[in-house]
Amino acid sequence: MKSLKEKIVQEGKVLSDTVLKVDTFLNHQIDPLLMKEIGEEFANRFSDQVITKVLTIESSGIAPATMLGLVIGAPVVFARKKKSLTLANNVYSSKVFSFTKNETNEISVSRDFLSPDDNVLIIDDFLANGEAVKGLLDIAEQAGANVIGVGIVIEKGFQQGGQNLRKQGIRVESLANIKTLANGQVEFFD
Amino acid sequence: MKSLKEKIVQEGKVLSDTVLKVDTFLNHQIDPLLMKEIGEEFANRFSDQVITKVLTIESSGIAPATMLGLVIGAPVVFARKKKSLTLANNVYSSKVFSFTKNETNEISVSRDFLSPDDNVLIIDDFLANGEAVKGLLDIAEQAGANVIGVGIVIEKGFQQGGQNLRKQGIRVESLANIKTLANGQVEFFD
């Protein structure tokens, strides 16, 4: 996705060979117009599929997932990283380790919002080691839902998450796939 | 806002005299079309003002704030409830107590995304005791930004947050203002 790649090159900060900071438009400050374009691009990539539910994880997945939901007219569910008092125990849950934050979170989704009738598209901002997506797949499986694929805004293609998912036969569409962050430069695949 | 109030009556669950659960469209599952309408309604209510930045807090503020940002063409910044490793120390921060979750979070916003040149509209999903909004106001003040007002999706008008803010001369626009949740029923002001 050209406009996204340009934005990454213009505004992304390469903090190390593995860390790209895109806080100006995705992870802290959000560019709503770019999010709308991202939602439209995901809808195009998966236009051969009927999506009944968009599944993401708080917080940075919410904006792109909601824009996709707007384009295709489907509800969005975001997994929570902590159980809130009002969620109670009626949940599917899974454990997710975050390398960025160096902590394990239990993520959970209410049983009310995923069912065996659902065709789920999983959306997330980043795909690196694939831990968050694995947790969301686990939750969808517990619900008996059909996962039609995974849509990622920025894949760190030099890490193993995307490769492992594709090896399992899971369809992964990344709007920008980074080959390397070496020497402080962003280089994309293609 | 008529469509929002109807949705609250149809899908909201009154769990006690103070707790309203709206997980089907706002706090866990998100209705993107309703979020778009909410964004448009906020834009209308504050159409007499130039907004340079929408300020909200993760996670449930992100969807309505991003839709407002889309309508008015302004960037959205969401305060984080935990410092991430990549945010480092270049932040404004404030302490916020959550009565729902019974915990205190330090919220923070990067100094890169708020400045004295900004006209800020604060957006949040709920206003009850006003703790989250107070934290966001504190952060905007630290940045020297001008706060033009506060937009709330659902105000619990029977609690003191909104009243206290208005007494301080802060403009608060709530799209649905709840008078009481007594007897398991939602009753609105107006």
Side-chain angles (χ1 to χ4, degrees):
Chain A
M1 185 180 162
K2 193 160 170 271
S3 58
L4 173 64
K5 288 180 186 172
E6 285 172 359
K7 191 85 166 178
I8 292 168
V9 169
Q10 284 161 15
E11 300 189 9
K13 285 180 190 160
V14 178
L15 298 188
S16 74
D17 281 4
T18 56
V19 179
L20 171 70
K21 190 174 170 180
V22 287
D23 274 2
T24 62
F25 62 91
L26 183 60
N27 294 132
H28 185 25
Q29 182 167 255
I30 295 168
D31 179 336
L33 291 169
L34 182 62
M35 292 304 120
K36 181 86 190 301
E37 282 180 55
I38 284 170
E40 286 162 354
E41 180 71 18
F42 281 136
N44 283 339
R45 300 256 184 134
F46 290 94
S47 60
D48 56 328
Q49 300 285 327
V50 175
I51 301 162
T52 66
K53 203 137 293 186
V54 179
L55 179 63
T56 188
I57 183 167
E58 61 182 356
S59 288
S60 297
I62 294 175
T66 303
M67 288 302 178
L68 168 61
L70 183 68
V71 174
I72 63 175
V76 176
V77 176
F78 63 90
R80 291 201 166 276
K81 285 180 184 166
K82 274 186 196 174
K83 289 178 192 166
S84 81
L85 296 185
T86 54
L87 261 182
N89 292 318
N90 184 37
V91 296
Y92 305 110
S93 66
S94 190
K95 290 213 191 315
V96 171
F97 179 72
S98 164
F99 287 87
T100 321
K101 298 189 178 177
N102 193 28
E103 64 185 18
T104 299
N105 284 297
E106 188 166 348
I107 67 168
S108 56
V109 170
S110 166
R111 289 171 183 261
D112 294 339
F113 303 131
L114 279 180
S115 84
D117 296 331
D118 277 318
N119 282 319
V120 174
L121 180 58
I122 291 171
I123 295 291
D124 208 3
D125 57 336
F126 268 98
L127 175 62
N129 296 288
E131 297 298 312
V133 169
K134 272 190 269 178
L136 294 171
L137 285 166
D138 180 21
I139 281 174
E141 191 179 350
Q142 290 173 44
N146 176 42
V147 174
I148 62 169
V150 176
I152 297 294
V153 180
I154 303 175
E155 178 174 348
K156 291 176 180 172
F158 54 87
Q159 289 178 311
Q160 298 308 307
Q163 206 171 317
N164 291 342
L165 292 170
R166 290 179 184 101
K167 270 186 202 160
Q168 293 171 51
I170 294 163
R171 179 171 170 190
V172 181
E173 294 278 351
S174 300
L175 306 191
N177 194 348
I178 296 172
K179 193 174 180 177
T180 175
L181 295 172
N183 307 315
Q185 300 286 320
V186 184
E187 194 183 322
F188 299 101
F189 282 104
D190 300 334
Chain B
M1 187 181 162
K2 194 160 168 274
S3 59
L4 172 64
K5 289 180 185 172
E6 286 172 358
K7 192 86 165 177
I8 292 168
V9 169
Q10 283 161 15
E11 299 189 9
K13 284 181 189 158
V14 179
L15 298 187
S16 73
D17 282 4
T18 56
V19 179
L20 172 70
K21 190 173 168 182
V22 287
D23 273 3
T24 62
F25 61 91
L26 183 59
N27 294 132
H28 185 24
Q29 181 167 256
I30 295 168
D31 179 337
L33 291 169
L34 182 63
M35 292 305 120
K36 181 86 190 299
E37 282 180 55
I38 284 170
E40 285 162 354
E41 180 70 19
F42 281 136
N44 284 339
R45 300 254 186 135
F46 290 95
S47 60
D48 56 327
Q49 301 285 327
V50 175
I51 301 162
T52 65
K53 201 138 294 190
V54 179
L55 178 63
T56 189
I57 182 167
E58 62 182 354
S59 288
S60 296
I62 293 175
T66 303
M67 288 301 177
L68 169 61
L70 183 68
V71 174
I72 63 175
V76 175
V77 177
F78 64 91
R80 291 202 165 274
K81 286 180 182 163
K82 274 185 196 174
K83 288 176 193 168
S84 82
L85 296 183
T86 53
L87 260 180
N89 291 318
N90 184 35
V91 296
Y92 304 110
S93 66
S94 190
K95 290 211 189 318
V96 171
F97 179 73
S98 164
F99 286 87
T100 321
K101 298 190 177 174
N102 193 28
E103 65 184 19
T104 298
N105 284 294
E106 187 164 348
I107 67 169
S108 56
V109 170
S110 165
R111 288 172 184 261
D112 293 340
F113 303 131
L114 279 179
S115 83
D117 295 331
D118 277 317
N119 281 319
V120 174
L121 180 57
I122 291 172
I123 295 291
D124 207 4
D125 58 335
F126 268 98
L127 174 61
N129 295 288
E131 297 298 311
V133 169
K134 272 190 270 179
L136 294 171
L137 284 166
D138 179 23
I139 280 174
E141 191 178 351
Q142 289 174 45
N146 176 42
V147 174
I148 63 167
V150 176
I152 297 294
V153 181
I154 303 176
E155 179 174 347
K156 291 177 179 169
F158 55 87
Q159 289 179 309
Q160 299 307 308
Q163 206 171 318
N164 291 343
L165 291 169
R166 290 179 183 102
K167 270 186 203 161
Q168 292 170 52
I170 294 163
R171 179 173 170 189
V172 181
E173 295 276 350
S174 300
L175 306 192
N177 194 348
I178 295 172
K179 193 174 179 178
T180 175
L181 294 171
N183 306 314
Q185 300 287 319
V186 184
E187 194 182 322
F188 299 101
F189 282 105
D190 298 337

